Amino acid sequence: MTSMELSPNHIFKEGLLSKRGSVLKGWKERWFVLQGTNLFYYDKTKTKLKGGIAGKDITGFGPDPHSKNPAYFFIKTGERPTKKKRMLMTTSKEERESWLSAIKASKAYEKSLP
């Protein structure tokens, strides 16, 4: 699919992920939607938007190099001093790779935009 065939509302991937809290460090299930260049997350019933990440703010992503759990991955946003690292967990290594591929495709789409 080329950028001409995609719209800003194209959904690259959606599904249930666990997100590590930034303050209490507990894990909460959230419904994630990678739409266009943005990643949104809702409560697990998909009814209440809880937050999001603008694609232009994503500065890095990949498997968590500090974890032995193959289902963990991270998304980094911003630069110091506002830099943030969000930890996410899927149900398997294969699902993690699917999410990372979708984020990569979304970033490529972002670069193709005028």
Side-chain angles (χ1 to χ4, degrees):
M1 212 177 256
T2 67
S3 63
M4 299 294 278
E5 298 170 7
L6 295 178
S7 78
N9 294 325
H10 176 77
I11 295 177
F12 284 93
K13 186 157 181 71
E14 63 181 311
L16 199 60
L17 295 173
S18 293
K19 178 185 172 293
R20 189 170 178 194
S22 58
V23 177
L24 298 178
K25 306 296 183 198
W27 292 91
K28 291 193 178 196
E29 285 189 328
R30 299 284 185 236
W31 186 262
F32 280 79
V33 179
L34 181 57
Q35 184 174 3
T37 62
N38 301 305
L39 183 64
F40 301 101
Y41 53 97
Y42 300 80
D43 62 0
K44 65 181 179 179
T45 62
K46 306 182 225 176
T47 56
K48 183 178 179 188
L49 181 65
K50 302 294 277 183
I53 304 168
K56 65 179 178 54
D57 294 338
I58 296 174
T59 57
F61 58 95
D64 182 13
H66 305 294
S67 174
K68 293 182 181 177
N69 187 328
Y72 286 9
F73 69 101
F74 69 87
I75 296 176
K76 286 184 185 176
T77 57
E79 300 295 330
R80 293 185 190 262
T82 60
K83 185 172 158 180
K84 229 179 181 182
K85 183 177 181 181
R86 291 172 176 85
M87 295 303 303
L88 302 167
M89 181 173 53
T90 65
T91 56
S92 67
K93 180 180 179 181
E94 293 76 22
E95 186 63 12
R96 178 197 72 191
E97 293 304 315
S98 178
W99 273 99
L100 293 175
S101 292
I103 295 168
K104 184 177 180 180
S106 174
K107 293 298 283 177
Y109 169 67
E110 177 184 44
K111 287 181 182 175
S112 75
L113 295 173

